[in-house]
Amino acid sequence: MMTEKMVAAFNDQINKEFFSEYYYMAMSAYCESIDLPGFASWMMAQAQEEHAHALRFYQFVLDRDARPTFAAIDAPKEEYDSVLDMFEHVLKHEQFVSKSINELYKLALEEDDYPSQIELQWYITEQVEEEKTAKEIIQQLRWVGDKSTALFMLDQKMAGRGTAEAASAAE
Ligand SMILES: [Fe+2]
Ligand SMILES: [Fe+2]
């Protein structure tokens, strides 16, 4: 059984993961609106990955004999100046999520909650990957600059990220 404080913090994190799903879905719709279908499908896969993160936390809360609760999900930002501007928001958001997971881990240490510490280690590793990926794409977009042929080619490369990868990412 987890402490009340721990359950509340996990439920707050579940909300953040669902918000992330929503945020990336809105980014996917933005990419469709500027005719970048490859980026749009990458973002949809990213949204599915966030859904899987939320469900993994949901299951963990249940497994610890506690109850997941559901707060309202904030409306995501829908407009960006460019796909580069959008990815800078991705990086900022992932840094925010990393901070939140690190705080959860700190709480798990304070509460002597060993199972939560172990569970959170998976998320800490995942966040390193999330930030790294965002930084790499930002760099690629900087190289692309305003060259439309290069953006067209990068869009095709982004389309290569399958949804199967996202579905298995939380396992
Ligand atoms: Fe996540
Ligand atoms: Fe993420």
Side-chain angles (χ1 to χ4, degrees):
M1 194 73 183
M2 287 193 284
T3 63
E4 259 177 55
K5 221 172 161 183
M6 207 66 227
V7 175
F10 270 113
N11 278 323
D12 187 49
Q13 190 61 40
I14 290 174
N15 184 270
K16 285 185 179 117
E17 299 294 343
F18 279 127
F19 172 76
S20 302
E21 177 185 11
Y22 224 41
Y23 197 43
Y24 295 141
M25 273 182 79
M27 287 185 184
S28 182
Y30 166 75
C31 293
E32 296 281 7
S33 81
I34 56 167
D35 298 319
L36 290 173
F39 276 92
S41 88
W42 191 96
M43 274 301 167
M44 198 50 92
Q46 183 70 12
Q48 286 176 355
E49 197 175 293
E50 298 301 349
H51 186 80
H53 292 171
L55 291 191
R56 183 176 166 138
F57 273 129
Y58 172 89
Q59 191 58 50
F60 182 73
V61 169
L62 283 178
D63 290 348
R64 299 291 307 283
D65 264 342
R67 182 171 175 175
T69 53
F70 297 86
I73 301 167
D74 290 340
K77 180 175 164 65
E78 296 194 50
E79 296 299 334
Y80 297 93
D81 296 337
S82 62
V83 69
L84 174 60
D85 175 47
M86 183 191 78
F87 261 97
E88 279 165 348
H89 280 80
V90 171
L91 178 59
K92 242 181 265 169
H93 180 66
E94 290 300 337
Q95 286 167 337
F96 161 77
V97 172
S98 299
K99 192 166 173 272
S100 174
I101 302 267
N102 291 346
E103 279 164 11
L104 252 174
Y105 191 81
K106 193 169 170 242
L107 183 64
L109 290 175
E110 286 163 10
E111 306 278 308
D112 292 327
D113 187 336
Y114 305 112
S116 292
Q117 289 168 28
I118 292 166
E119 177 65 14
L120 286 164
Q121 280 168 11
W122 182 89
Y123 283 91
I124 291 168
T125 307
E126 171 69 10
Q127 284 311 118
V128 171
E129 194 59 36
E130 294 273 64
E131 288 188 34
K132 178 179 160 234
T133 305
K135 280 179 205 155
E136 281 171 359
I137 296 168
I138 285 170
Q139 191 51 54
Q140 287 171 17
L141 284 166
R142 286 194 181 131
W143 284 325
V144 164
D146 53 14
K147 296 183 284 294
S148 59
T149 312
L151 184 59
F152 175 73
M153 286 170 75
L154 183 57
D155 187 63
Q156 289 193 321
K157 189 182 156 222
M158 294 296 277
R161 177 182 180 177
T163 47
E165 173 209 321
S168 65
E171 282 165 11

